[in-house]
């Protein structure tokens, strides 16, 4: 397990995780809407006694609804974990900019010179930005994965 690479992926796909929550909400709403009972406009009795113009597979809808809710909940737990660890890594002395650097680097995909200017470094100190990013991602990986990440560093 490459903990650094996995930590980077958590950040790279942070926006997509939020998008998946929105998509799950839409799917849950759609499934709930499909399963809602229709108003009765008139009684129509077929010869067989079974009206089959629009088959409804209630068990399948319940299963899909349950799966979408589970995926949404698991994704939200991971998003909360990412946010908690990002906020936690910048608490120590000298680490105040770690969250901002990681967020700009991985989530926003900003240019290194832009990051340098944003955190108050000169544009010529790109190596300092790389050093800070490396320290921040290692700290973030340890916060996420614990001893496994620490062994890998």
């Amino acid at each position: 397990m490459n903990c650094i690479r996995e930590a980077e992926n958590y950040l790279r796909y942070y926006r997509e995780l939020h998008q998946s929550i929105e998509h799950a909400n839409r799917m849950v709403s759609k499934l709930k809407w499909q399963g809602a009972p229709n108003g009765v406009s008139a009684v129509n009795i077929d010869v067989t006694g079974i009206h089959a113009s629009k088959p409804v597979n209630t068990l399948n809808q319940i299963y899909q609804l349950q799966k979408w809710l589970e995926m949404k909940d698991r994704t939200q737990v991971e998003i909360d974990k990412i946010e908690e660890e990002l906020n936690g890594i910048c608490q120590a002395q000298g680490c105040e900019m770690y969250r901002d650097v990681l967020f700009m680097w991985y989530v926003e995909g900003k240019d290194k010179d832009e990051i340098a200017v944003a955190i108050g470094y000169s544009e010529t100190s790109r190596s300092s930005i790389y050093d800070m990013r490396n320290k921040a991602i290692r700290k973030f990986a340890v916060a996420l994965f614990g001893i496994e990440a620490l062994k890998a560093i």
Side-chain angles (χ1 to χ4, degrees):
M1 175 175 172
N2 186 335
C3 297
I4 300 295
R5 184 172 293 130
E6 290 205 26
E8 289 173 328
N9 282 336
Y10 270 76
L11 294 171
R12 279 189 188 107
Y13 294 103
Y14 181 82
R15 284 184 183 171
E16 287 77 8
L17 290 172
H18 278 283
Q19 290 172 346
S20 74
I21 294 287
E22 293 170 15
H23 179 69
N25 284 334
R26 286 191 302 273
M27 292 303 295
V28 166
S29 294
K30 178 181 172 185
L31 287 167
K32 284 182 178 180
W33 181 80
Q34 285 176 347
N38 294 331
V40 177
S41 59
V43 177
N44 181 13
I45 301 177
D46 289 343
V47 176
T48 62
I50 301 171
H51 183 65
S53 64
K54 184 179 177 187
V56 176
N57 187 344
T58 306
L59 288 177
N60 187 38
Q61 286 178 331
I62 291 170
Y63 174 77
Q64 287 180 21
L65 181 62
Q66 178 184 4
K67 282 306 201 183
W68 279 108
L69 288 171
E70 286 174 8
M71 286 187 291
K72 177 186 158 195
D73 290 343
R74 285 194 334 255
T75 303
Q76 188 62 54
V77 165
E78 291 302 313
I79 288 172
D80 292 343
K81 184 168 66 170
I82 291 167
E83 290 173 355
E84 180 181 340
E85 300 310 335
L86 276 174
N87 291 328
I89 64 170
C90 61
Q91 300 299 317
Q93 182 74 21
C95 303
E96 295 86 3
M97 300 301 294
Y98 282 8
R99 182 194 193 288
D100 296 335
V101 168
L102 290 178
F103 204 83
M104 286 185 278
W105 191 293
Y106 293 103
V107 178
E108 296 173 352
K110 287 192 175 183
D111 182 68
K112 305 338 168 225
D113 294 330
E114 289 179 87
I115 297 170
V117 170
I119 64 170
Y121 282 24
S122 71
E123 291 182 33
T124 58
S125 61
R126 282 181 78 115
S127 64
S128 298
I129 297 300
Y130 279 93
D131 291 342
M132 184 182 287
R133 189 275 321 247
N134 290 339
K135 290 175 185 174
I137 197 66
R138 285 193 300 264
K139 190 166 184 154
F140 181 65
V142 170
L144 281 177
F145 303 114
I147 194 70
E148 289 301 315
L150 192 59
K151 287 179 184 177
I153 303 178

